[in-house]
Amino acid sequence: MDDSQPLLSLQHLSRTFGGLVAVNDVSCEIYRGEIFGLIGPNGAGKTTLFNIMTGLIPPTQGQFFLQNQSLVGYQPDQISQRGIARTFQNIRLFRDLSVLDNVLIGRHIHIPVKLWPGILPLPKINNWERVARTEALDILNLLGLGARQSEKASHLAYGEQRRLEIARALAVRPQILLLDEPAAGMNPTEKQELCEFIRYIQQTFQLTIVLIEHHVPLVMGLCDRIAVLDFGQLIALGKPETVRQDAAVIAAYLGDQP
């Protein structure tokens, strides 16, 4: 694998909603193994960009490529199968299902069965289910949730629910994991623990991670490179120390933040 080539390439992506330009001609490249930050004021277009990259909405113009394959026009499940998974700013779990079942839902995207064969108790189906269960349990154990596998997702504490949502995304076997404001609602201690947790899953699962985050110290201390959006436009891209000193970024977003 040539790590000098971008894993994910965004080329002149734009998205409009009526007369509103949410994303405006954004281009950047993300490389294998990076932790890549996406920051900017509220309404800058960050989550819209995630929604484009995961197939929830199409771009008005432009392309995005995973390993040189254009994914424009692909459905969310097709993009997941090719290696892009995500979490959401507002936690989206199946709250009345067990912790284990929430992770199994992510894993089942790779089980190649249609409706009727899946209903019948065939040996091959049972074997796929056993493998999926084993892999889901392995992920839960690695993320410290193995002992809670039988509990309803709604019974978990807030930080544990965040980890469970990430566990479900990891069950997709992604190359790229998109995290949308993973520190939202966390106190300073939890944010520091989250920072260490993201590094842990990046190394353990050999991931490329792209995260949207408003907590500037977390982004600056965690990310290899940072892109800054303002009114849908890319106004800065580079290493944290470079972005922090960029006059346009200071004016649009950072201000006098530490």
Side-chain angles (χ1 to χ4, degrees), residues 181-199:
E181 295 198 36
M186 293 186 176
N187 62 42
T189 299
E190 290 170 331
K191 288 176 180 177
Q192 181 56 42
E193 291 173 351
L194 175 69
C195 220
E196 295 167 3
F197 176 69
I198 290 173
R199 288 195 185 98

Side-chain angles (χ1 to χ4, degrees), residues 225-244:
R225 289 190 302 141
I226 297 170
V228 187
L229 294 182
D230 188 33
F231 292 107
Q233 291 186 304
L234 183 68
I235 62 170
L237 173 64
K239 293 185 179 296
E241 57 271 21
T242 302
V243 168
R244 184 194 293 274

Side-chain angles (χ1 to χ4, degrees), residues 140-183:
L140 287 173
N141 286 327
L142 283 168
L143 272 59
L145 293 171
R148 312 291 298 275
Q149 62 178 282
S150 299
E151 297 183 39
K152 285 186 178 182
S154 60
H155 293 173
L156 298 183
Y158 181 82
E160 292 173 322
Q161 289 187 24
R162 282 282 180 198
R163 274 191 284 156
L164 178 56
E165 192 178 33
I166 291 173
R168 185 177 61 193
L170 291 173
V172 176
R173 296 179 178 171
Q175 300 182 68
I176 300 176
L177 177 61
L178 309 181
L179 302 177
D180 193 346
E181 295 198 36

